[in-house]
Amino acid sequence: MAHLACHPDETVSWEAFKRVAAPAAALDGYVAGPTRANPTHATFDHHAEVDRLATRATCEQVAVSIRFGPLPVLADPSKLTVHVNHADEDVALSVWLLDNQHRVDDHSIWRLVHAEGILDTTGGCCVPAEDRAFIEQLAWIFAPCKERRTTATGMAATIATVGERLDRYAEGRAEREPAGVGYRLIERRGPIAAIEEYGVLSRVSLSADGIDVYVSLRELDDRQEVTIGKTSPRPDFDLSAAFEELNLREEAEPNDSWGGSSMIGGSPRASGTDLTLEVILDVLEHSRTEATGPFLVETGPLPDIY
């Protein structure tokens, strides 16, 4: 099995990562920037410098890489060190895939990778077209990820627990857990809503309720964590511009700041945020691309498509 190196809420550059002991792989944002690989180092990601909907989730990238002949850096999992900076569903499944490359052709594994890929890419707002039994198995497998752990030991424990559940799923012995759907509305401003989430599929009903952008609040370890996401790529809110403005108001440090992709992101990983909900909502309201002011984005005419 690969050695797991947990770096809570840290991010390094590709150039810095290439200097760590080889062979090494980084998952889901530990290395800043898009997916890259050389014979000794690889990073798999789908957050920065990519079109999120046109880029496979990290677990999908890992599965496809293994399926078509693993990169040289991944060839011997027993010698590989896998570097992560959080322990969500995408990361936990990717780690398991690297340790169980012989299972990647299993239909049940492809099914799970596809389902998790859709959920992760859309920030949990799009549910795969699957039967209830499978969705409840998925909810059981990844339930440990909902207890966000912020220490290296805690992250490793979460990934190990999910790995054990993935073993049982691969053996046809997965349990089932109700896939909670719903949220508590805290405040709403038209298409923007501040919410508290309930359950694995808490975000799937947001779009149907007319919510284009959600602000998910969570208290953790005496700090406030905030996730901001669009329920689809269509709403005309510029989250990248919003994150820039939130960083200015937070006076955030470069290595611990607001950020994410064009569809989902959030508050500084290590410190959380001291900004009030009112400030966050104000910034989001002014991030609409048709608004005047500092968030105006001129896209120009769309190109012809042949």
Side-chain angles (χ1 to χ4, degrees):
M1 294 182 65
H3 172 69
L4 183 65
C6 296
H7 313 273
D9 301 322
E10 294 181 18
T11 301
V12 301
S13 69
W14 172 241
E15 292 304 317
F17 183 64
K18 288 191 293 184
R19 293 193 291 270
V20 306
L27 301 177
D28 209 40
Y30 175 62
V31 171
T35 296
R36 302 181 181 93
N38 64 28
T40 58
H41 294 77
T43 172
F44 299 92
D45 193 22
H46 65 126
H47 295 88
E49 302 175 38
V50 299
D51 180 328
R52 188 176 178 92
L53 293 189
T55 306
R56 293 181 181 275
T58 297
C59 64
E60 293 176 294
Q61 293 181 37
V62 169
V64 171
S65 177
I66 294 169
R67 174 61 181 79
F68 289 101
L71 298 166
V73 62
L74 308 180
D76 187 348
S78 67
K79 297 179 180 178
L80 180 67
T81 298
V82 180
H83 297 262
V84 302
N85 67 357
H86 61 290
D88 72 358
E89 296 88 340
D90 199 14
V91 168
L93 179 53
S94 298
V95 171
W96 186 88
L97 289 167
L98 291 171
D99 278 336
N100 293 271
Q101 298 186 25
H102 63 288
R103 305 302 299 259
V104 77
D105 275 329
D106 294 1
H107 172 72
S108 62
I109 301 305
W110 273 112
R111 184 185 188 190
L112 186 67
V113 168
H114 174 67
E116 172 52 29
I118 291 175
L119 280 167
D120 195 78
T121 297
T122 62
C125 292
C126 180
V127 183
E130 291 283 359
D131 59 79
R132 177 180 293 273
F134 174 77
I135 294 298
E136 290 184 348
Q137 288 180 336
L138 183 149
W140 173 77
I141 291 167
F142 295 117
C145 297
K146 294 307 173 185
E147 182 183 350
R148 175 150 148 61
R149 295 176 172 176
T150 58
T151 67
T153 300
M155 287 168 53
T158 294
I159 292 170
T161 300
V162 173
E164 293 169 358
R165 295 186 179 202
L166 285 165
D167 288 339
R168 294 180 61 181
Y169 168 78
E171 296 164 0
R173 299 187 298 112
E175 298 180 27
R176 292 166 58 174
E177 180 170 309
V181 177
Y183 59 91
R184 180 175 73 86
L185 182 65
I186 298 172
E187 184 173 342
R188 182 157 184 176
R189 296 189 187 179
I192 306 172
I195 64 170
E196 178 185 357
E197 297 186 51
Y198 300 138
V200 175
L201 303 180
S202 56
R203 300 174 188 170
V204 300
S205 59
L206 293 174
S207 182
D209 292 343
I211 296 170
D212 290 339
V213 178
Y214 61 88
V215 179
S216 178
L217 307 177
R218 183 180 182 187
E219 294 292 332
L220 181 68
D221 297 336
D222 299 323
R223 72 177 191 271
Q224 179 171 262
E225 283 193 341
V226 177
T227 299
I228 297 174
K230 295 165 67 170
T231 56
S232 84
R234 296 184 179 86
D236 51 1
F237 290 84
D238 187 345
L239 294 193
S240 296
F243 294 142
E244 290 181 10
E245 178 66 13
L246 290 166
N247 279 321
L248 291 175
R249 301 199 184 197
E250 190 91 56
E251 297 183 356
E253 298 293 331
N255 60 348
D256 186 31
S257 59
W258 289 84
S261 71
S262 60
M263 278 193 64
I264 188 171
S267 56
R269 285 184 180 273
S271 60
T273 181
D274 292 324
L275 297 179
T276 66
L277 176 59
E278 298 308 307
V279 168
I280 296 169
L281 294 176
D282 286 346
V283 169
L284 285 171
E285 281 190 314
H286 286 87
S287 73
R288 300 194 77 158
T289 55
E290 81 274 20
T292 57
F295 296 109
L296 178 63
V297 176
E298 297 182 358
T299 59
L302 294 176
D304 292 331
I305 300 176
Y306 298 97

